[in-house]
Amino acid sequence: MRNLYAKFNILMIVVVVATMLGLYVQYTNSRALVYDNAQKIADASACVLKEEIKGWLSQKAQIVDDLANIVSMNRLNNEELLAYLKVFLQKNPEFASLYFGSKDNVMINASGWVPPATFDLRTRPWYVTGKKLIYTDAFVNASKDDLIVTIAKPVHTAEGELLGVIAGEVSVRTIVKSVNEKTIVTNGYSFLVDGNNKMLAHPDYQYDLKSGAPALDAEYLSFAKMVEQVPAGVIRYSLNGKDGFVAYHQVENTTWLLGSFISLTDLINPVEQMTQSFVIALAISSMILGVMFFLLVKFVITPLVQLNESVKQIDVEKFPAYRIPVSGSGEVAMVSRTINHILS
C-alpha cells in the first residue's frame, strides 16, 4: 500500500511541477516579447520623428543655402541683396526674418529691423559659424511672442574671402506641435530637448514664451546627461514615475535630443493578468487532481489493498471455513464474493 501511495504522490508532484514550469516559461517568454516590442516601437517612433524634424529643418536650410550661393556668385550691392531677401521672405512665410550680416558689421534685414548703433553682429552666435551651415539653439525672439531657431551660413568668395553670413529665423512651433502630437501608443509620448537642457517639446510641459523653453526637471536632466556621449540608442528608464523604455536620437546638425518614451506598465498588465489566470487555473487543476487522488485512494486503492491482505490469509487446510470480508457493492466486493464462492 505504501508503494502505491508513493507512486501516486510522485505522479501528482510531477504534474504540478510540469504545469508550474510551463507557466513560468510562458510568462518569461511573454514578458520578453513585450519588452522587445516596446523597444522596437519606441525606436521606430523616434526614428520617424527625427527624420520628420530633419526634413523640416533641411527645407529651411536649403533656402538659406540658396541665398548664400546667390550672394557668393553675384556680388550684390545692399539694395539688390535687400530685394532678394524680401522676395525670399515673401515666398517663405515660415521665416520670421531673413538677413545678411557683413564682415563690416552691416546688417541687411528683409523684415525691416534696424539694429542699434552699439549692436555688433559679428559677436552673435549665428555669425560665428566657421565654414558650414548651422542651427542655433532655440531662443525667444525680440517681440517675446515666439520661440525661434536661427539657420545661418557664411558667404565666401571663390577665393575663400568671407563676405558675411546669411541667416534666417524660423519658429519651432511646427516642430513642437509635431512632437506633441506624435503619440507612440496610448502609453507613450515623445519629447525634444535642446543643448541648453531646455524642454523644447513635451505634451505635458506648458510654455511661457516670455521666459523661453522650460528647464528640464531632475529626471529628464539625468537622462540627458546619461546619453550625451552616445548619439542614439534605447535604454530602460523611468520617467514621471513610470518604468519603460526611452529611444533617443541626436538630431543632425543641431544640439537637439529627441526621445520617445513607452511605458511598460500598461503593456505588462495584460501579461500579468494572463499569468494570474494561469495561476488560478493551476490552483483549480491541483484541487481537482487532489480530489481525484483522494477518491481513487478511498474507492480503488484501499479496497484492493484490503482484498490483497485478505487473499493472503486464505488457507483451506488450516482454516477451511475462512471467507474474505465483503463490504459495499463495487467491483472489489464482486471479486470478493466470487472468491468466497470458489472457497465454498
Side-chain angles (χ1 to χ4, degrees), residues 105-107 109 112-121 124 142:
N105 197 34
V106 175
M107 174 176 279
N109 197 323
W113 183 72
V114 178
T118 57
F119 183 80
D120 189 347
L121 59 87
R124 306 300 295 170

Side-chain angles (χ1 to χ4, degrees), residues 268-340:
I268 290 298
N269 281 343
V271 177
E272 293 181 343
Q273 290 174 0
M274 181 177 65
T275 303
Q276 290 175 0
S277 299
F278 275 121
V279 171
I280 294 173
L282 176 62
I284 294 174
S285 300
S286 299
M287 290 176 60
I288 294 174
L289 187 62
V291 171
M292 292 178 61
F293 179 74
F294 171 77
L295 295 176
L296 187 64
V297 169
K298 182 176 181 180
F299 295 105
V300 178
I301 297 178
T302 300
L304 285 176
V305 171
Q306 291 175 348
L307 176 62
N308 180 62
E309 294 297 327
S310 299
V311 169
K312 289 180 179 179
Q313 296 180 22
I314 295 176
D315 190 338
V316 294
E317 294 182 355
K318 294 182 178 180
F319 309 104
Y322 173 79
R323 298 294 181 267
I324 294 176
V326 178
S327 62
S329 59
E331 286 75 7
V332 176
M334 293 175 60
V335 173
S336 299
R337 293 190 184 95
T338 301
I339 294 174
N340 288 337

Side-chain angles (χ1 to χ4, degrees), residues 100-106 121-122 127 161-165:
F100 174 76
S102 73
K103 64 179 181 179
D104 300 322
N105 197 34
V106 175
L121 59 87
R122 294 166 296 185
Y127 190 91
E161 178 188 356
L162 177 66
L163 298 176
V165 175

